Amino acid sequence: MSKERYLVVRTHGLMTHLLNPDRIRSWAMIPDWESLFKEISSTEYGVFLEKVDDLRSADKVTDVTLRVLGRRVRTFLEISKGDVVEEATVRYLAKYDVENLKRKIFSLLIRKEGVSEERFLPISGFMVSMDPILRASDVSQICDLLPQGKLRDFISAWLSSGQMNIPLLDIGIDRAYLAETIAWAEMTKMREVFRIYAENYALGVILRSQLTGIGSEFYSPMLEFLSQNVRKALSESSTFEESIKALLSTEAHKSMASELMEVYEKYGVPWTLDLSLFKELYSKIRSLARMKPLSSIFPFSYIVAAEWESWAVRTVVLGKLSGIESEKIYDMLSLY
Amino acid sequence: MSFRSVGRILPTKGFLIRLRERAALLQMGVEALKMKRDQLIRESQELLKQLHARKDIDKKLEEAFSMVKMAYAVAGPQEMRKAALLATPLRIEVRTKSVVGVETPEITTSEFKLAVSPSLNSAVMAAAAKLSEAIREMMPLVNAEARFERIAEALAQTMRKVNALEKIVIPDYTAAIKYVEELLEEEDLEEFLTIKKYRQIKRGE
């Protein structure tokens, strides 16, 4: 059996350990904490939960969901060792390193009390070892710790420019990460998945920039990661509303744009943007994996599914903790 | 006889003149205080109109807090901490403005931006946008409430002063003046009779 087939078979096995998304959604309707605890305890998450009160701590819940995701990622990386999927997983999950890196840099630049330096995943860094980076006392030290590449080049150029422009740094880090990732993916059979991922990621940065009122001169370099028709639609839009209207005309993002428009009109703010983007990414990769069940895309889709599961469990528990209505939590977790 | 507001009474013409001067000054003071009171009432009535906005602000704040709760559920505590790191805290400038001698605070927002980074979760950004909008709209109300509080305090004080002057001090002074006048009149009469008696004795009548 080839490595690829072996991985597909093993991933099928791993997939059976994932919770059914509908089951997680149904937890939103559980009225009391005891029953919810009983339900969650019977899953893999139960290993990290000792008592009902653990569910009442947002930090604990976040930690538990990330620990389970970390375990799943570790197992997957072990079985995919040496395959292109391993590298694809590492490059995909490097987004968490990018996030941690940003937090560390922001905390050093802004220097405020109560800065969170925890990792998203309780496992070592994917792109770079995070421990020395989290111990760094200034940004130039971080720069030296980064491997040679676009990210390191960008951060050192930003530092030498002397500008303290946080949005520029923020978008620049994302751009460098995406450019490196897509350059690698284009040379592999994972290009299709990574094109979807890069477009989804870039779209998020562009739309969030428009929401925060950041000028197009900052976010326009992200347009290079979009497919031709999406780029064309967005290049003429300067506000969030215009962009969503433009996305409604594209086949690729119609469902997401219509959901966002609905939320935007109802609440005046598109608070579900990240959720919608992630749902779109998960839905697209899942349908691509279904279309090519014996390709490397299927094993890769496991990571995105595991991430969705972790995200959904956290949303149900934190949603209940925040007093959000059950129906709203249920709706939030619907897939396209 | 004693008059609490006036103090020790001296039945002299000089004292009477001083009493009359003080009474006139008090009357002028009452008029000025009445003018101040009317102006303060007008100011507070103007502010009352602004205070009606409280209901809308309460609603906006409720919406913003429910959005914060949602952001917490969607993005998680770590993302909220990151947002806190990137937020520019609310900085205000407080100046004082005088309204008919009453010092009232005037608060202006000098710096306030809750979401500055495009890498923040959209739910956090939405909550930040709602919260900053509500806080910005709340600032004129904060100003109005702070001013109203000071003006109401000054108004109560002014009314107490007017009442005390009108009901106690001025009547005391008026009575004291009358009393001194009567005493002086009696003295004058006594003196007149003494002189008259003296003249009669001198003429040998």
Side-chain angles (χ1 to χ4, degrees):
Chain A
M1 205 192 319
S2 72
K3 176 80 183 172
E4 196 176 55
R5 292 285 161 90
Y6 165 76
L7 206 55
V8 168
V9 173
R10 289 295 307 265
T11 309
H12 270 289
L14 290 175
M15 284 277 196
T16 59
H17 292 283
L18 288 181
L19 297 170
N20 186 329
D22 287 334
R23 186 180 167 197
I24 305 174
R25 279 181 87 194
S26 72
W27 290 352
M29 298 300 175
I30 295 176
D32 60 294
W33 286 103
E34 281 74 18
S35 311
L36 184 64
F37 177 71
K38 212 171 150 189
E39 191 68 37
I40 298 178
S41 295
S42 66
T43 67
E44 268 191 66
Y45 294 87
V47 181
F48 301 102
L49 294 166
E50 284 170 24
K51 48 191 187 302
V52 182
D53 278 347
D54 287 345
L55 291 182
R56 293 198 178 100
S57 157
D59 280 319
K60 176 79 182 173
V61 171
T62 309
D63 185 60
V64 168
T65 52
L66 290 174
R67 269 175 191 281
V68 174
L69 177 58
R71 266 169 64 153
R72 291 195 160 137
V73 167
R74 258 199 315 272
T75 313
F76 185 76
L77 286 175
E78 267 169 36
I79 64 163
S80 64
K81 219 169 198 68
D83 193 89
V84 68
V85 180
E86 185 203 6
E87 178 78 11
T89 306
V90 166
R91 287 190 181 263
Y92 172 72
L93 294 174
K95 65 180 178 176
Y96 291 104
D97 288 348
V98 167
E99 179 61 32
N100 285 330
L101 186 68
K102 280 185 193 175
R103 285 183 188 195
K104 182 64 193 174
I105 295 175
F106 293 158
S107 72
L108 287 172
L109 292 173
I110 303 169
R111 289 187 193 280
K112 266 190 198 171
E113 289 291 318
V115 175
S116 163
E117 287 183 358
E118 303 100 309
R119 288 189 211 103
F120 268 121
L121 288 167
I123 51 173
S124 295
F126 299 97
M127 178 179 64
V128 60
S129 173
M130 287 310 288
D131 287 335
I133 288 183
L134 293 180
R135 279 198 300 270
S137 55
D138 63 61
V139 184
S140 56
Q141 236 179 60
I142 292 178
C143 224
D144 296 338
L145 289 165
L146 289 172
Q148 291 288 343
K150 286 185 165 56
L151 193 56
R152 184 180 168 148
D153 293 346
F154 169 74
I155 297 174
S156 61
W158 184 84
L159 270 179
S160 51
S161 76
Q163 285 182 334
M164 274 292 284
N165 193 322
I166 298 286
L168 183 70
L169 173 73
D170 203 342
I171 297 170
I173 290 176
D174 285 332
R175 192 186 170 204
Y177 159 64
L178 272 193
E180 258 182 17
T181 308
I182 206 77
W184 168 82
E186 284 298 334
M187 294 184 297
T188 67
K189 51 190 172 186
M190 300 303 286
R191 72 181 70 85
E192 212 176 342
V193 172
F194 274 83
R195 276 182 196 159
I196 293 173
Y197 171 56
E199 178 159 305
N200 188 278
Y201 196 107
L203 210 53
V205 175
I206 294 167
L207 294 175
R208 282 192 297 263
S209 301
Q210 289 176 338
L211 270 178
T212 28
I214 292 167
S216 61
E217 67 276 18
F218 291 114
Y219 67 75
S220 55
M222 296 303 279
L223 290 168
E224 70 175 273
F225 301 107
L226 305 179
S227 56
Q228 210 178 350
N229 57 336
V230 179
R231 192 187 313 150
K232 198 179 161 202
L234 284 193
S235 57
E236 286 153 17
S237 331
S238 58
T239 64
F240 177 81
E241 215 173 338
E242 279 172 15
S243 295
I244 291 297
K245 277 179 188 159
L247 286 174
L248 276 171
S249 64
T250 63
E251 200 51 50
H253 305 289
K254 209 160 72 182
S255 314
M256 183 199 67
S258 99
E259 187 186 67
L260 275 177
M261 192 48 115
E262 208 175 290
V263 172
Y264 191 59
E265 281 169 357
K266 192 174 173 188
Y267 296 94
V269 276
W271 65 276
T272 56
L273 173 63
D274 287 78
L275 169 68
S276 304
L277 282 166
F278 189 37
K279 270 200 295 196
E280 191 190 67
L281 178 71
Y282 177 41
S283 305
K284 278 185 177 173
I285 289 177
R286 196 172 59 158
S287 60
L288 201 63
R290 279 177 186 164
M291 276 195 290
K292 296 175 180 177
L294 296 174
S295 70
S296 298
I297 297 168
F298 179 74
F300 181 79
S301 74
Y302 167 76
I303 289 296
V304 186
E307 220 185 339
W308 172 259
E309 182 203 88
S310 156
W311 195 90
V313 171
R314 195 189 65 187
T315 304
V316 169
V317 183
L318 294 189
K320 284 191 164 290
L321 197 62
S322 312
I324 299 173
E325 304 94 71
S326 307
E327 289 77 13
K328 205 173 247 174
I329 301 171
Y330 190 82
D331 289 344
M332 272 156 72
L333 299 176
S334 66
L335 288 166
Y336 295 131
Chain B
M1 195 164 179
S2 74
F3 301 92
R4 230 171 57 188
S5 323
V6 184
R8 207 169 132 242
I9 300 286
L10 293 174
T12 63
K13 281 199 172 169
F15 186 73
L16 181 66
I17 291 164
R18 280 205 298 279
L19 269 185
R20 279 181 181 147
E21 278 171 1
R22 267 195 243 163
L25 191 70
L26 283 170
Q27 197 56 48
M28 276 163 66
V30 168
E31 294 308 317
L33 282 172
K34 276 183 181 172
M35 276 163 68
K36 182 182 176 179
R37 179 192 65 188
D38 294 346
Q39 185 58 33
L40 287 175
I41 289 170
R42 268 196 293 277
E43 285 284 336
S44 58
Q45 274 169 346
E46 279 299 310
L47 287 172
L48 268 177
K49 284 177 204 160
Q50 290 178 43
L51 294 181
H52 289 313
R54 200 190 173 100
K55 271 186 197 167
D56 297 336
I57 301 292
D58 280 348
K59 207 178 155 200
K60 288 219 162 176
L61 279 172
E62 264 174 40
E63 274 175 22
F65 283 121
S66 69
M67 200 58 92
V68 170
K69 283 200 296 189
M70 226 132 55
Y72 196 72
V74 175
Q78 295 190 347
E79 188 70 11
M80 297 299 266
R81 280 191 206 118
K82 181 183 159 195
L85 170 75
L86 289 169
T88 312
L90 174 66
R91 284 183 208 283
I92 53 162
E93 273 175 28
V94 184
R95 290 193 195 123
T96 48
K97 190 184 163 192
S98 178
V99 179
V100 276
V102 182
E103 294 220 323
T104 58
E106 204 173 53
I107 306 161
T108 47
T109 317
S110 60
E111 207 180 351
F112 185 45
K113 204 157 189 203
L114 286 177
V116 288
S117 162
S119 70
L120 283 175
N121 185 292
S122 59
V124 178
M125 280 160 85
K130 280 265 177 193
L131 200 60
S132 26
E133 189 192 324
I135 290 175
R136 269 202 194 89
E137 285 184 26
M138 196 175 74
M139 289 320 278
L141 181 71
V142 169
N143 265 331
E145 283 197 358
R147 286 179 67 190
F148 188 79
E149 210 171 280
R150 293 286 172 90
I151 286 174
E153 206 176 295
L155 185 62
Q157 218 172 15
T158 311
M159 282 167 89
R160 268 200 306 275
K161 279 182 191 166
V162 170
N163 277 343
L165 286 172
E166 275 190 336
K167 303 266 162 50
I168 302 163
V169 182
I170 293 179
D172 262 11
Y173 268 82
T174 315
I177 289 167
K178 201 179 166 197
Y179 176 68
V180 175
E181 276 174 350
E182 279 171 4
L183 280 181
L184 288 174
E185 226 170 85
E186 258 175 51
E187 256 179 42
D188 278 353
L189 194 61
E190 209 174 299
E191 204 176 322
F192 174 73
L193 286 173
T194 312
I195 292 167
K196 203 174 173 184
K197 191 80 182 163
Y198 171 75
R199 277 181 186 159
Q200 278 175 350
I201 293 167
K202 202 179 171 188
R203 274 192 229 125
E205 285 173 3

